[in-house]
Amino acid sequence: MSIYIIFALNALLFASVLFLLTAGLNIIYGVMRIINLAHGNLYALGAYVTAWVLLTVGYQAFPGPLLYIVPPIIGVLVVGLGALIMEPTLLRPMYKRIEEFQLLITFGVLLILEDLFLLIFGPYPLSVREPYTFLGVSKIGDLSYPNYNFLVIALGFIVAFALWFLLYKTKFGIILRATSLDREMAAAMGVNVKSLFTVSFVIGAMIAGLAGGFIVTKDTAVLGMGIEALVLAFVVMVIGGLGSMKGAFVGALIVGALRQIGTAYFPEIELAILWLIAAVVLTIKPQGLFGR
Amino acid sequence: MLLEVNNIDVNIGAVQVLRDLSMNIDKDETVVLVGRNGAGKTSTIKSIIGLYPVKSGKITFDGKDITGLPPHVRATRTGIGYSPEDSRVFPDLTVEENIKLGIWLSKHEKMSEKDMEETIFNIFPELKRIWNRRGLYCSGGEKKMVSIARALSLRPKLLLLDEAFEGLAPVVVERFIKAVNQIKQLGISILIAESNVNIAAKVGERLYAIDRGEIIYAGDPMKIFQDQTLLNTIRGY
Ligand SMILES: Nc1ncnc2c1ncn2[C@@H]1O[C@H](COP(=O)(O)OP(=O)(O)OP(=O)(O)O)[C@@H](O)[C@H]1O
Ligand SMILES: [Mg+2]
């Protein structure tokens, strides 16, 4: 019995990270209508920076709960800063061009970031386990489960709630949704679309960075992690529907559960199962479960 | 003059949609722009709010050159409210949210949300009943009201109404004309684009006729009925 509880928790854990990845991708797509191929590498950047801070400064420098707050926040801020530079310089000149150019430029950024990781952090994975192991384990029946995973699961739900609140209950969120529904009309109503693009891009990127900052002490920061994450976020996006926050939430839960079932019972075809489900959804409902 | 449009040329892609177009609107004036389908009414309005850039010519507002200003600045600072021809109510937002956008975004001294609601309910009491309805579920006429109220919530000095009466039943048209007069009483100048000559002549204090992107008549609305050729051009036969 307890093994199934652990399966469920693992599914939630995976769903939480996937949600954070897809939520950012969706905000950017929703407002800017750009699929940010560099998104996975912004997540990786958050992971690298967090690990680098912990390794360089030493985890001892952050007493108590600060260990779980300061390093990831530094990671998030670096990612935010990167996004703040990237949007006006690299993306903005492409808005008037055809969509393929926008896709290409984000692909270019993906490659540049990957090379920068290699250049700055070297070819070997960065690993810092202390924050993960310090939290200990909980007993579930006669099995044990790392407490850190509960933290990551909670993070996913907290960000989901915060995003829902931001988008539906605040003036900023309502303005953002109006702009994603009809950009031209929003501009004529007084929305500075140019700066809203920057803000949305930075918010989306920072959520990805946050996911990276929290996952890195559980896994490692390693070359290629961004692309792997991007591919999975795409599956969630396809299942949930482009630009839909509800879709990101439900899609992440579905993919999290499927992935867990895959790893537990059909490890050889784990990824194939995900693609198969994505293909089925695309066939039955091409716009995804919650897409329009 | 509140608004002066001086000799503007506007191109969309390779097509010139407005040619050497000039018009002006005084304070407290209700002006109509009439012309058949494709004449250039919407293009004129979009150039005034800044959604279409002008290739040459100049637009001034309250004596200030606004030709190069982006639409959001014209909406929030210059004081131009815009209600487009297909209403373009934000479908996922409630009527309330659609309208409050303008209050939140406006940059002049703000009216409280309460006072603004009161002003709007005075003009369109119908909106009270659908205040929490999502834009998606509003009828065509309701969408028009929301769209006009939304533009008003910016507290504009000039209101641009593109096809404000299109698709409305005759009695409802009367109702909207009443609303336009109430808006005028608030000290707001109005420019209405209209393809129906009879309605245009009825609401406008002054009239411009446009055809193929050029102004072909400016003056007293009633006088157009004396010129059969002009009338035929406007009506499109
Ligand atoms: N985005 C566009 N691309 C190409 N041509 C356009 C565009 N917008 C307008 N036009 C052309 O410019 C001309 C003027 O169009 P406009 O929409 O201003 O006319 P209108 O007077 O508002 O017509 P209607 O009564 O049908 O709304 C038309 O010939 C139209 O085909
Ligand atoms: Mg038109």
Side-chain angles (χ1 to χ4, degrees), chain A residues 203-250:
Chain A
I203 293 178
M206 282 168 88
I207 302 172
L210 185 70
F214 270 87
I215 212 67
V216 73
T217 50
K218 191 186 121 48
D219 298 342
T220 54
V222 56
L223 292 175
M225 72 183 284
I227 296 166
E228 198 181 315
L230 179 74
V231 169
L232 291 169
F234 270 165
V235 179
V236 176
M237 218 178 173
V238 162
I239 293 178
L242 252 64
S244 160
M245 217 35 96
K246 210 191 283 173
F249 191 80
V250 176

Side-chain angles (χ1 to χ4, degrees), chain A residues 168 170-172 174-175 177-179 181-193 292, chain B residues 46 49 51 71-72 75-76 82 84 88 90-93 97 101-102 104-105 113 150 153-154:
Chain A
Y168 288 87
T170 67
K171 291 178 188 178
F172 171 78
I174 293 165
I175 290 169
R177 280 164 53 224
T179 310
L181 290 163
D182 187 341
R183 192 187 294 173
E184 195 186 56
M185 192 59 228
M189 277 306 295
V191 178
N192 184 344
V193 175
R292 49 177 88 246
Chain B
K46 284 196 172 183
I49 185 66
L51 290 172
H72 72 269
T76 56
Y82 166 55
R88 309 249 307 249
F90 299 111
D92 280 3
L93 271 49
E97 288 167 341
L101 275 180
W104 300 333
L105 289 161
E113 291 191 13
R150 181 176 64 183
S153 72
L154 283 163

Side-chain angles (χ1 to χ4, degrees), chain B residues 156-221:
Chain B
K157 293 180 195 142
L158 171 67
L159 183 62
L160 307 172
L161 301 179
D162 198 353
E163 308 274 4
F165 313 106
E166 196 191 26
L168 300 175
V171 282
V172 187
V173 170
E174 292 302 322
R175 201 243 153 290
F176 270 71
I177 291 176
K178 199 183 121 211
V180 167
N181 287 327
Q182 272 177 283
I183 293 168
K184 184 180 151 56
Q185 299 304 315
L186 297 172
I188 297 172
S189 305
I190 305 170
L191 173 64
I192 303 174
E194 180 56 58
S195 46
N196 181 316
V197 192
N198 299 323
I199 296 178
K202 196 165 171 180
V203 287
E205 294 164 340
R206 209 150 53 80
L207 181 145
Y208 287 94
I210 184 171
D211 196 53
R212 296 166 199 265
E214 289 177 274
I215 296 293
I216 53 167
Y217 173 86
D220 184 343

Side-chain angles (χ1 to χ4, degrees), chain A residues 14-164:
Chain A
F14 195 54
S16 167
V17 178
L18 282 176
F19 170 75
L20 293 175
L21 278 165
T22 318
L25 209 52
N26 264 336
I27 288 185
I28 293 170
Y29 178 80
V31 175
M32 305 165 73
R33 294 291 180 275
I34 284 184
I35 297 197
N36 177 25
L37 293 178
H39 203 69
N41 275 2
L42 294 172
Y43 157 81
L45 180 63
Y48 267 110
V49 172
T50 307
W52 183 85
V53 167
L54 282 164
L55 290 169
T56 318
V57 188
Y59 64 88
Q60 302 90 336
F62 307 101
L66 289 185
L67 182 59
Y68 301 92
I69 298 169
V70 180
I73 292 230
I74 295 175
V76 167
L77 289 178
V78 170
V79 173
L81 189 69
L84 191 63
I85 297 169
M86 177 180 160
E87 194 277 334
T89 54
L90 295 174
L91 296 185
R92 194 174 293 169
M94 298 296 143
Y95 297 148
K96 290 207 178 80
R97 313 260 182 113
I98 51 172
E99 279 168 24
E100 285 80 355
F101 277 78
Q102 307 174 356
L103 215 56
L104 271 177
I105 194 93
T106 65
F107 187 64
V109 174
L110 177 158
L111 296 175
I112 291 169
L113 281 174
E114 197 71 23
D115 277 352
L116 279 179
F117 296 153
L118 180 63
L119 192 72
I120 298 170
F121 303 109
Y124 307 108
L126 302 190
S127 171
V128 207
R129 300 287 289 179
E130 283 81 4
Y132 176 73
T133 48
F134 280 180
L135 283 185
V137 294
S138 290
K139 282 278 163 217
I140 294 176
D142 44 4
L143 301 170
S144 55
Y145 195 72
N147 285 332
Y148 190 84
N149 290 4
F150 289 110
L151 186 68
V152 178
I153 293 172
L155 184 75
F157 281 96
I158 291 167
V159 172
F161 176 79
L163 277 179
W164 169 81

Side-chain angles (χ1 to χ4, degrees), chain B residues 37-38 40-43 85 162-163 193:
Chain B
N37 294 123
K41 304 181 294 294
T42 299
S43 305
E85 60 188 328
D162 198 353
E163 308 274 4

Side-chain angles (χ1 to χ4, degrees), chain B residues 14-225:
Chain B
V15 191
Q16 182 161 16
V17 292
L18 299 181
R19 288 162 218 280
D20 197 29
L21 183 140
S22 297
M23 67 185 304
N24 52 56
I25 299 169
D26 218 339
K27 286 204 170 63
D28 296 322
E29 207 181 13
T30 302
V31 174
V32 284
L33 178 62
V34 66
R36 58 186 167 145
N37 294 123
K41 304 181 294 294
T42 299
S43 305
T44 306
I45 289 206
K46 284 196 172 183
S47 307
I48 296 172
I49 185 66
L51 290 172
Y52 285 174
V54 305
K55 203 177 86 185
S56 60
K58 191 170 153 188
I59 303 176
T60 63
F61 195 92
D62 259 344
K64 286 195 252 346
D65 187 351
I66 61 163
T67 322
L69 294 182
H72 72 269
V73 177
R74 298 192 203 193
T76 56
R77 291 187 196 275
T78 307
I80 304 179
Y82 166 55
S83 167
E85 60 188 328
D86 36 6
S87 300
R88 309 249 307 249
V89 169
F90 299 111
D92 280 3
L93 271 49
T94 63
V95 169
E96 175 179 13
E97 288 167 341
N98 264 282
I99 290 170
K100 289 207 169 152
L101 275 180
I103 308 179
W104 300 333
L105 289 161
S106 164
K107 293 269 174 11
H108 352 104
E109 14 77 76
K110 297 212 165 121
M111 201 184 226
S112 77
E113 291 191 13
K114 197 114 212 84
D115 291 347
M116 181 53 77
E117 273 177 40
E118 205 168 298
T119 310
I120 282 166
F121 289 152
N122 247 325
I123 300 167
F124 294 118
E126 295 90 336
L127 289 180
K128 243 182 244 172
R129 203 172 40 81
I130 58 165
W131 199 234
N132 295 313
R133 189 174 294 175
R134 288 211 279 151
L136 186 63
Y137 301 118
C138 293
S139 73
E142 288 166 347
K143 279 188 189 143
K144 282 212 182 313
M145 292 185 206
V146 175
S147 179
I148 296 170
R150 181 176 64 183
L152 278 178
S153 72
L154 283 163
R155 301 194 61 199
K157 293 180 195 142
L158 171 67
L159 183 62
L160 307 172
L161 301 179
D162 198 353
E163 308 274 4
F165 313 106
E166 196 191 26
L168 300 175
V171 282
V172 187
V173 170
E174 292 302 322
R175 201 243 153 290
F176 270 71
I177 291 176
K178 199 183 121 211
V180 167
N181 287 327
Q182 272 177 283
I183 293 168
K184 184 180 151 56
Q185 299 304 315
L186 297 172
I188 297 172
S189 305
I190 305 170
L191 173 64
I192 303 174
E194 180 56 58
S195 46
N196 181 316
V197 192
N198 299 323
I199 296 178
K202 196 165 171 180
V203 287
E205 294 164 340
R206 209 150 53 80
L207 181 145
Y208 287 94
I210 184 171
D211 196 53
R212 296 166 199 265
E214 289 177 274
I215 296 293
I216 53 167
Y217 173 86
D220 184 343
M222 286 309 158
K223 291 228 171 88
I224 51 169
F225 295 102

